[in-house]
Amino acid sequence: MKHILITLLFIFICYISVESSEFDLNKYESFLENTKDLDYKGLKEMYPSDPFNNSDSISLDSVNYYQLSNNKLNYTEDEIGLLEENAFLVTERHRYPTFIHGIYEIWKKDLPLYLSNDFFLNILHLSFKNIFKKLERYNQGDLRNALTIMLNEIDNYEDSTNINSDEFNNLINDAKLYISVAKKLNLPQEEFNFDSSIENEANHLLSLINDEKLAEISLFAETKRFYDFSLFKPRGFYADNQNLSNYFKAIMWLGHINIYISNPENNLVFELTDAELDRQTRLASFLSNIIENSEAKNHLEVINNRLIALVGRQDNINYNEVNTIIEGQNFEFEDLMESNNISKIRTELLQLKSAKQSYNSSFLISGKTIKKAEPGSVFKLLGQRPLIDGFITSRVVYDEIIHNEEKVKRMLPNSLDVLFGLGNNAVLSGLESELNQYNYSPNLASVRYLIDSYDNSFWERNVYTNWLAAIRSLNPTISEEGREQQRSYKKTAAWQQKTASTQLASWAELRHDYILHGKQPTSDVNICEFPDVYLEPSPEFFQHLINIFQIIENDDSFENRFPMGKIINVFDTLKTISVKIHGNITLEDNDRLFLKRILFDCSDWDCDPGQDVFTGWISELVYGMYFSKKYFIEKYKDPQMTVADIHTSPSDEGGNIVGWVKHIATGAVNLSSVVTENEEGKKTIYSGPVYSFFDFTTSDFYRLNDDEWVEKYSEELGNSFDNIQKPIVSQCYTTDSEGKRYNYEPIFETKEKLVSSVLNNSNNYDAVKIFPQPAKDYVNISLNIVNPLCKVEIMTMSGKIIQTNKYQFGGTGTHIININLNNNYTQGAYLYKITNGDDVYTGKLIIQ
């Protein structure tokens, strides 16, 4: 192991010194080769994270506003236990359709408000979704114009050319089919009939798209290959509007249907002949030539430039690259009929960087050899865009994982793989069992290494990367020394797991909004105000939110259609306040007043709760949405949840076609209460809405849209979800709809586990006597009382509290406490914890 770590250190020194703003697959492969023997222990040594505090252990009696909060929110015993242990809790007992509902309910109860990072990330999602919707409506019109022009140009070539050959006929029909299907999908209500030469094939393709199933077809070739038409199901915000649903299918056609320049490598499912590759290269060249010589280019460039600003480049060869090569060869349309000329074009195309896809999104079958299946070089008119998180999940599944010269059959990724890849070292402990089972530590280390090499120019490049950078900015500080200045609750494992859930939920909303244009990986087969407001201090986080809206306001591709000045100003003010809180600088009166004016722009404490319109800065923060109690609070009764499918595995480990689809989703908005110091250093309890996150897998290529997810969630609410369990990362700090704890142990590493802490620090001495021991129906505790208030907790060996009794004695001295043991006990060993003033006594209790 020492030799491996020295080698890795050398690699880091060689590579990390040269930062990059562009993905380098060669670097990834080189790092992977040098770390091929890395195991979980070695990965932990490469990416360490000091253990977090096990708990914050506070007394609630002296906390500002605790009694008020308890009276209004009626905390259960388990919820109080979480507050005492971790200084915060999240409860599903208080659910809200949206974050705004949650803030409004807290405002009505006159409780101190907690403004979480969750809230601002959700605001980002709401604004961006509305902006993106508007842009996509413009894009639909530009797409309509481009496709109409291209079809007319194809007809002109057919009518004006005297060529009569199989190559020419195939070319014209292939081009008509490719463009006509896209046009029909985009605006099916328009009067448009397929040409008789392609009518049957086009209608067959439309029926396959509507069936939304895996299908094997021959397209632009005689050789058949598989296409996953389930991807054509409108999802995300596109499902909300019929026009956008149509546009979704058209873009999916242009972004998912491959026109092959070369065959995939090491793929058993199909292989195109040289003549078929010529045919498809000719099609790519012809379409590119039409675009270059018509007004279609202007419309397509507008769409493409907008998407570059939003998410980045295509992951395929594009029409500009093809045209550059055609022009360099001085080829005219007639020259494309010659196989020798097509070979020259293909040879040059294969030298392009875009000829190698970042990751696979097609149906490929990997052989039993050690060689990995690689996607071929493809041309697309408006191809999907590679995602960093998509690259992560694509590299930690079959057939990318090779251990002891064998391919490891890990068919689906874990959401925590993505968080680790984005820099969260602490989540490794939650991946330990899978890393040991599937031996993919080298793969995870390699994607992390590559992502760590990105410089600021990469993260500030477009909206998508800035959003991910905002999520990354919430990663925990890895060293105990670095956490010294942090608030005490932030030092606990439970809080860092809550923050990980925030990151995952925002990632779910990000993928939801990019469901169409982000390339999905596929595994190979085989105010009146609040008494006080607490803003979670994250200056870097707010800067990334500012960057996103500056891109939308300033990028030329958006043609000044989206004035973002008000949103940017609000986030800039929040950043300024956040910097002060982070640096323990006293806020000015106008800072405090600004935070309290989130709902209503009141200048004093006499706001009228009957006001209908939200006039505070929240109304300026969400683009394209009118805020009033009648419109918003009353309109949105059901949870506004999002779901996104992020990875597909066509087969299981045995090669059976199962169509597993990995989903990530947000659930209902939950209530969180947090105890932290106010400006005067006084412990104060704040409450606010936070995310809930889910992670699940469907089969048979079934992809859920938002409405289907809400329906499934609502049907099973309060029940044990079938394959939709509460993620383990959020169980230790959450209570369910009845206010009962899910689990008691954090998955992040802590300085000392709860059980070991109790056993190792057992300090009864002569102050406490337990009898009878073993106990059966009752137990007596003899205790020398030093404070009239006393609490006795009995818990399982895993730390789950079974029983809590509180007492108030008339005086000090020795007292005997009798505890009846209820039906929750079975025979075995338990732990007791007695809290009396500043004294805590712990030990074992045997029940027979």
Side-chain angles (χ1 to χ4, degrees), residues 19 31 35 37 70 92 117 142 175 204 352 371 442 484 494 534 703 746 832 838:
E19 289 193 328
F31 195 91
T35 58
D37 296 323
N70 194 15
E92 296 175 352
N117 291 330
D142 281 308
H204 177 59
L352 298 172
K371 295 180 180 179
E484 285 184 2
Y534 174 60
R703 303 175 191 276
Y832 67 81
D838 294 331

Side-chain angles (χ1 to χ4, degrees), residues 266 366-374 398-408:
N266 309 312
S366 174
K368 294 183 179 180
T369 68
I370 200 67
K371 295 180 180 179
K372 304 173 188 176
E374 300 285 354
Y398 184 79
D399 68 346
E400 289 290 332
I401 308 169
I402 296 175
H403 182 69
N404 290 336
E405 301 301 313
E406 290 186 3
K407 293 179 179 178
V408 178

Side-chain angles (χ1 to χ4, degrees), residues 96-105 107-108 599-600 611-614 625-638 640:
Y96 313 106
T98 70
F99 277 78
I100 308 301
H101 285 76
I103 288 175
Y104 181 58
E105 288 300 316
W107 175 82
K108 288 197 299 183
L599 291 182
F600 299 106
Q611 291 183 71
D612 181 63
V613 179
F614 291 144
M625 188 172 289
Y626 176 67
F627 281 105
S628 75
K629 285 187 288 183
K630 183 175 182 180
Y631 175 81
F632 194 88
I633 297 296
E634 296 178 9
K635 177 180 178 181
Y636 295 103
K637 299 294 186 183
D638 296 323
Q640 302 300 296

Side-chain angles (χ1 to χ4, degrees), residues 417-543:
D417 295 330
V418 174
L419 279 195
F420 176 77
L422 293 177
N424 190 327
N425 291 6
V427 300
L428 273 183
S429 54
L431 291 168
E432 181 177 3
S433 61
E434 283 195 69
L435 285 163
N436 288 330
Q437 179 181 356
Y438 294 110
N439 297 292
Y440 70 100
S441 292
N443 302 70
L444 202 53
S446 298
V447 294
R448 172 64 181 275
Y449 153 71
L450 210 56
I451 291 171
D452 282 348
S453 74
Y454 290 157
D455 58 18
N456 288 337
S457 66
F458 174 87
W459 294 110
E460 296 174 2
R461 177 174 297 180
N462 55 56
V463 170
Y464 195 92
T465 53
N466 266 289
W467 195 325
L468 280 181
I471 292 172
R472 288 178 83 238
S473 72
L474 303 181
N475 286 336
T477 304
I478 63 172
S479 69
E480 186 176 350
E481 182 180 1
R483 301 175 198 144
E484 285 184 2
Q485 301 304 315
Q486 291 182 344
R487 296 180 180 245
S488 54
Y489 69 89
K490 284 194 170 186
K491 300 177 185 179
T492 65
W495 178 263
Q496 293 304 332
Q497 286 182 208
K498 182 264 173 196
T499 303
S501 293
T502 297
Q503 292 176 296
L504 290 168
S506 182
W507 175 49
E509 290 184 334
L510 172 63
R511 287 298 292 265
H512 168 274
D513 293 347
Y514 281 91
I515 195 73
L516 176 57
H517 298 291
K519 181 177 177 180
Q520 182 175 140
T522 299
S523 301
D524 294 334
V525 179
N526 209 7
I527 116 198
C528 217
E529 302 172 350
F530 314 95
D532 198 1
V533 178
Y534 174 60
L535 176 70
E536 196 168 340
S538 307
E540 183 184 351
F541 166 80
F542 283 114
Q543 182 58 56

Side-chain angles (χ1 to χ4, degrees), residues 575-638:
K575 177 190 172 185
T576 301
I577 296 173
S578 181
V579 169
K580 292 180 182 179
I581 297 173
H582 188 266
N584 293 318
I585 300 171
T586 301
L587 298 184
E588 298 177 11
D589 289 342
N590 61 334
D591 296 328
R592 299 187 192 94
L593 189 58
F594 176 84
L595 292 178
K596 292 176 181 178
R597 287 175 170 173
I598 180 173
L599 291 182
F600 299 106
D601 188 12
C602 304
S603 57
D604 53 43
W605 291 85
D606 298 321
C607 301
D608 178 9
Q611 291 183 71
D612 181 63
V613 179
F614 291 144
T615 56
W617 50 261
I618 184 62
S619 62
E620 297 180 348
L621 208 51
V622 181
Y623 178 86
M625 188 172 289
Y626 176 67
F627 281 105
S628 75
K629 285 187 288 183
K630 183 175 182 180
Y631 175 81
F632 194 88
I633 297 296
E634 296 178 9
K635 177 180 178 181
Y636 295 103
K637 299 294 186 183
D638 296 323

Side-chain angles (χ1 to χ4, degrees), residues 87 135 148 170 181 191 193 354 413 425 452 507 510 523 570 591 626 661-662 733 738 819:
L135 275 175
T148 300
N170 283 337
V181 170
E191 259 190 56
N193 296 318
S354 58
N425 291 6
D452 282 348
W507 175 49
L510 172 63
S523 301
V570 172
D591 296 328
Y626 176 67
V661 180
K662 179 86 168 181
Y733 60 80
E738 296 179 354
I819 299 176

